[in-house]
Amino acid sequence: MPKLPYTMEALAPLMSKETLDFHYGKHLQAYVNNLNALIAGTSFENMELEEIIKKAEGGTFNNAAQTWNHTFFFNQLTPKEVKIPEKLEKALNKTFGSVQIFKEEFTQAAATFFGSGWVWLVSDEKGNLSITSTPNAGNPLTQNLKPLLVIDVWEHAYYIDYRNNRKAYIDSFWKLINWEKVADLL
């Protein structure tokens, strides 16, 4: 089970301890447990998580991708506000016109995503940025894209704190991003 880079209470009130107890402590733990059980004694047992995601199908893929997606999501969050580093700001300005336009487009993609899944900021092999969405356990690694930022839009990510108000959850998400980690991935 991956360790959080902050305490379970640290993101409150934007993301409560109760949400983390369920989202991290129960949902992610279940994916980790399921994946470990599924890969025991198989060719996947000694593979890196990214390699499993690129090669597996069915339940093994779903649990591997959900383990990776959730770990990536939790690791990009921080309890203290972080300014967007200049190199990331320049890249977002180049692609989207401004950081504000990027945030608006990302927010729109997350708010209107139907069902359960993920909305990502990714870069391709040439370093071009784009916003993409994946349903269920989808992961951009399977499309040779490099994830830079993600928001989990499964209801379990926000329902305890925001009920059915996904937009309020997205607004809070922007205040929790460790932009230095995003920039380091660029």
Side-chain angles (χ1 to χ4, degrees), residues 96-140:
F96 299 99
S98 73
V99 172
Q100 186 59 38
I101 293 171
F102 157 69
K103 286 182 175 181
E104 289 168 5
E105 290 182 15
F106 192 96
T107 296
Q108 180 67 15
T112 60
F113 186 90
F114 183 78
S116 300
W118 307 85
V119 176
W120 308 82
L121 172 66
V122 297
S123 66
D124 65 17
E125 64 281 348
K126 294 178 183 176
N128 299 312
L129 301 182
S130 63
I131 296 169
T132 191
S133 302
T134 57
N136 303 316
N139 183 295

Side-chain angles (χ1 to χ4, degrees), residues 79-92:
K80 59 183 186 265
E81 196 166 332
V82 176
K83 187 178 185 306
I84 297 177
E86 187 177 338
K87 83 172 190 177
L88 178 58
E89 184 176 359
K90 284 181 179 178
L92 293 171

Side-chain angles (χ1 to χ4, degrees), residues 62-83:
N62 288 336
N63 285 280
Q66 286 290 61
T67 296
W68 195 97
N69 294 357
H70 280 88
T71 301
F72 188 84
F73 172 74
F74 290 124
N75 281 333
Q76 73 184 5
L77 303 178
T78 182
K80 59 183 186 265
E81 196 166 332
V82 176
K83 187 178 185 306

Side-chain angles (χ1 to χ4, degrees), residues 10-37:
L11 305 180
L14 300 174
M15 191 175 291
S16 69
K17 180 183 182 303
E18 184 180 10
T19 288
L20 285 173
D21 284 341
F22 280 91
H23 194 189
Y24 167 80
K26 299 198 184 313
H27 286 274
L28 177 53
Q29 185 68 66
Y31 293 128
V32 170
N33 293 346
N34 290 341
L35 177 62
N36 288 336

